Amino acid sequence: MLEEVRIQGLGVIDDAVLELSPGLTVVTGETGAGKTMVVTGLGLLFGGRADPQRVRPGAGRAVVEGRLTVPEGGRVATRVLEAGGDIDDDVLILNRTVSAEGRSRATLGGRSAPVSLLAYLADDLVAVHGQSDQQRLLRAERQRSSLDRFAGDDLVKVLKRYSVAYRRHREVAAELEELVERARERAQEADLLRFGVEEITAAEPVPGEDAELSAEETRLAHADGLRVASTTAHEALTGDPAAADVQADVVGLLSAARQAVASVSEHDEDLASIGSRLDEASYIITDAATELASYAESVEADPARLAVVQERRALLTQLARKYGETTDEMLAWAENASARLSELDGDDERIEELRAEVEESAADMVEAAGELTEIREAAAERFGEAVTEELTALAMPHARVSVRITTGEEFGPHGRDEVELLLAPHPGSAPLPLHKGASGGELSRVMLAIEVVFAGADPVPTFVFDEVDAGVGGKAAVEIGRRLARLARRAQVIVVTHLPQVAAFADAHLVVEKSTEGLVTESGVVRLDRDGRVRELSRMLAGLEDSELGRAHAEELLGNADPDRAYPRA
């Protein structure tokens, strides 16, 4: 709900503050006082087009600031927080500035925001119906959603069922389309994978085989050197018994050293310790000599085996360029490729399954869409009759509102119906879209009738009407006021009016006052108490604030309107 709006430098308004309340608030004032600027300011606040010519001469810029309450966790609050704005105790501050040069700036919750965001949020905050601003219910999508809410729970249940079928159909159809369109790509992918798997399978690589072959190749390539080195080392440790000139060997020298130390070690513990280390060294050298002898016997030059190993390594190297650097990676690639081949080979079966699912979900969707159309057509008839009845009381007795529902071939998130509100202003005239079938003043009354019928079904919290009573008077004006009061029981309603019959139904009455000083006209907004309302209604009735007859008539209007007010004590 709007709590307060401040307007500065806009048209004839220098600085004015509107303190707004729940229920019906009317704005009145003399001609030229700036009543329309109030609606213009509200339009700017909610993303309306900025006209630099509306900036007050000498002001440099026009500023409109609004304070409104928004429910925590609602769509508006969520969007504001996403944009970086702040909401303090459910209170949101909006600001719009328009310079005389045409530059426009907006802030949302203390954070700069694009003007388009204000317009986006306005859909959930306010509905403005003025001579030049009837956009909200003129949009086809808004008309459809409003009619759906008017239709009630029966449509909600069917729409939920339709939405499930619609989403499922889109998902399945998209998957099917992708599989069918990619059939050639999948076939090419399968051929490549199959070739790779067959190539690896034919090679029969073993985990770790490449490392083992590399080591074996190195050993075979250096067999002679390895055998000479091991034999030489063995002879150095133990000597060569077949040699004619036996040289001293490590084992013999160690044995002599051990014997020398052992003969006297009992006389000194330190020497005994050295003797133990010599024993240990002797054991180690003896073992090493034995292993060297065994190794030297095992090393054989085998050119045939070397050729086999090199050929095998060349094959694995060739495969490694395609499928992985090691045999482990090749085997992993083959495993993954086999799994992917299973998926690709199973796509044909999946395509058939998806085609069946597409047909099934399409049938469910068509059935639910047909039910939606039937419910909408029934609701449209009720709605048209209700609005037409309202128009009769609003001095448009010959006008008729109807709803045209066109069922197309394309399915959307809400069915395949296009909803359009039509108006036939006179008997025999062809029904036309709302904005083509009525003048500005008539359109405001049509919108009032529609909003009254939609009341409770449309969740917008604030309505603004400008010149809704244009061209009417007497009983019709009273009926307009009564319907505005009825609408105000469910939402906040702000009305700019020049008719006392309408103003009498207000829960809060604001008057735009003007003062002329030289060539500059300034306007301010004053909230009236009961006595002030009597004087203002008297002025509107008779042109004289203190006319006894005018005051009596004003009191009578207020008294007659009391039972219809949303807040009778206000």
Side-chain angles (χ1 to χ4, degrees):
M1 185 192 77
L2 274 168
E3 293 184 341
E4 181 180 283
V5 177
R6 183 171 187 176
I7 303 174
Q8 295 174 293
L10 184 64
V12 298
I13 298 179
D14 179 35
D15 192 347
V17 177
L18 284 74
E19 295 181 358
L20 302 171
S21 307
L24 174 60
T25 298
V26 297
V27 181
T28 64
E30 297 181 10
T31 301
K35 300 188 299 297
T36 300
M37 287 300 100
V38 172
V39 177
T40 301
L42 290 172
L44 285 173
L45 190 62
F46 292 103
R49 187 178 65 88
D51 184 358
Q53 295 183 354
R54 295 286 192 178
V55 178
R56 182 178 173 81
R61 64 176 183 171
V63 180
V64 184
E65 184 174 272
R67 186 179 75 234
L68 61 157
T69 56
V70 295
E72 182 181 357
R75 198 163 81 104
V76 172
T78 300
R79 189 67 185 87
V80 170
L81 296 176
E82 288 175 352
D86 293 326
I87 298 176
D88 188 10
D89 292 333
D90 294 341
V91 174
L92 172 64
I93 304 297
L94 301 179
N95 184 284
R96 180 81 180 278
T97 302
V98 180
S99 71
E101 293 79 22
R103 293 189 299 273
S104 176
R105 183 173 178 269
T107 62
L108 180 69
R111 178 66 64 89
S112 293
V115 174
S116 59
L117 181 54
L118 295 184
Y120 172 79
L121 296 178
D123 242 13
D124 294 311
L125 293 174
V126 64
V128 179
H129 300 301
Q131 294 293 317
S132 59
D133 190 356
Q134 303 280 5
Q135 298 303 310
R136 178 177 165 274
L137 268 178
L138 297 183
R139 296 199 299 272
E141 177 61 23
R142 197 75 189 197
Q143 293 179 6
R144 195 272 314 152
S145 62
S146 297
L147 180 65
D148 284 358
R149 283 190 290 270
F150 179 79
D153 292 339
D154 289 343
L155 187 136
V156 171
K157 294 176 183 177
V158 177
L159 185 57
K160 287 182 179 178
R161 180 157 50 87
Y162 170 84
S163 297
V164 171
Y166 174 75
R167 286 194 300 270
R168 179 59 183 158
H169 180 75
R170 282 174 60 88
E171 292 170 359
V172 174
E175 185 179 352
L176 175 61
E177 182 179 3
E178 181 182 3
L179 287 178
V180 172
E181 287 183 353
R182 291 188 56 217
R184 178 177 298 178
E185 296 177 12
R186 291 184 293 106
Q188 293 174 348
E189 182 185 359
D191 287 343
L192 291 174
L193 292 174
R194 192 171 290 109
F195 176 81
V197 171
E198 291 174 355
E199 201 171 20
I200 293 174
T201 302
E204 298 182 344
V206 177
E209 180 183 3
D210 49 347
E212 294 177 1
L213 288 173
S214 176
E216 185 178 0
E217 181 184 12
T218 301
R219 186 169 61 252
L220 288 170
H222 299 83
D224 291 339
L226 293 173
R227 185 172 55 253
V228 170
S230 59
T231 300
T232 302
H234 177 267
E235 292 176 355
L237 294 179
T238 63
D240 182 2
D245 185 11
V246 180
Q247 299 178 358
D249 58 77
V250 174
V251 174
L253 294 174
L254 273 175
S255 178
R258 289 172 58 204
Q259 291 175 4
V261 171
S263 65
V264 293
S265 60
E266 60 183 6
H267 305 302
D268 190 327
E269 293 182 359
D270 290 339
L271 187 59
S273 175
I274 294 173
S276 297
R277 289 160 62 191
L278 288 172
D279 291 341
E280 183 178 354
S282 178
Y283 300 147
I284 293 174
I285 294 299
T286 300
D287 288 342
T290 302
E291 291 180 10
L292 281 170
S294 176
Y295 177 82
E297 291 178 1
S298 69
V299 175
E300 292 182 5
D302 189 346
R305 176 57 185 170
L306 178 59
V308 170
V309 170
Q310 290 176 336
E311 184 179 354
R312 180 65 175 174
R313 286 203 66 204
L315 174 61
L316 294 180
T317 300
Q318 182 182 5
L319 294 177
R321 294 192 187 101
K322 302 177 183 179
Y323 310 113
E325 295 182 359
T326 66
T327 53
D328 290 348
E329 292 178 3
M330 291 179 215
L331 291 169
W333 185 93
E335 183 178 356
N336 293 333
S338 298
R340 176 60 178 159
L341 275 172
S342 298
E343 293 179 8
L344 294 174
D345 291 339
D347 279 350
D348 291 339
E349 296 180 5
R350 180 58 179 159
I351 286 175
E352 294 305 317
E353 293 176 0
L354 289 174
R355 283 176 176 157
E357 288 188 50
V358 166
E359 292 180 3
E360 182 181 353
S361 60
D364 293 341
M365 188 171 61
V366 169
E367 180 183 358
E371 293 183 35
L372 286 176
T373 300
E374 292 178 3
I375 296 173
R376 283 175 180 143
E377 288 175 345
E381 186 175 351
R382 298 196 311 272
F383 169 78
E385 292 174 354
V387 175
T388 299
E389 183 179 347
E390 291 290 330
L391 289 177
T392 300
L394 296 176
M396 295 180 67
H398 303 298
R400 178 172 180 79
V401 168
S402 58
V403 182
R404 179 165 60 198
I405 297 178
T406 305
T407 302
E409 297 297 326
E410 298 294 328
F411 291 87
H414 306 283
R416 53 179 176 174
D417 300 325
E418 293 183 4
V419 176
E420 187 174 26
L421 301 184
L422 305 176
L423 172 68
H426 309 291
S429 60
L432 296 173
L434 291 181
H435 63 287
K436 295 180 180 179
S439 63
E442 289 176 333
L443 186 54
S444 290
R445 273 179 278 159
V446 172
M447 288 300 178
L448 173 59
I450 290 173
E451 297 292 15
V452 168
V453 173
F454 273 153
D458 199 334
V460 67
T462 299
F463 295 88
V464 179
F465 290 93
D466 183 23
E467 302 294 338
V468 67
D469 49 15
V472 300
K475 183 177 179 181
V478 172
E479 292 301 327
I480 289 175
R482 181 170 286 117
R483 277 151 180 78
L484 288 168
R486 186 188 306 171
L487 182 60
R489 293 174 182 174
R490 292 186 172 91
Q492 181 185 40
V493 181
I494 303 168
V495 180
V496 175
T497 181
H498 64 281
L499 292 181
Q501 294 94 330
V502 174
F505 285 88
D507 301 298
H509 192 148
L510 306 179
V511 61
V512 181
E513 296 180 337
K514 67 176 182 178
S515 61
T516 303
E517 298 177 1
L519 297 177
V520 180
T521 300
E522 299 179 357
S523 293
V525 179
V526 178
R527 188 183 183 95
L528 302 178
D529 57 14
R530 178 82 178 194
D531 189 58
R533 294 188 66 184
V534 171
R535 289 198 304 272
E536 175 64 8
L537 292 179
S538 178
R539 180 197 66 76
M540 297 170 72
L541 284 164
L544 300 173
E545 296 180 0
D546 297 322
S547 165
E548 291 186 7
L549 289 176
R551 290 178 66 86
H553 193 181
E555 290 282 6
E556 183 180 7
L557 285 176
L558 289 171
N560 290 336
D562 276 340
D564 292 295
R565 290 196 190 94
Y567 300 88
R569 296 182 181 179

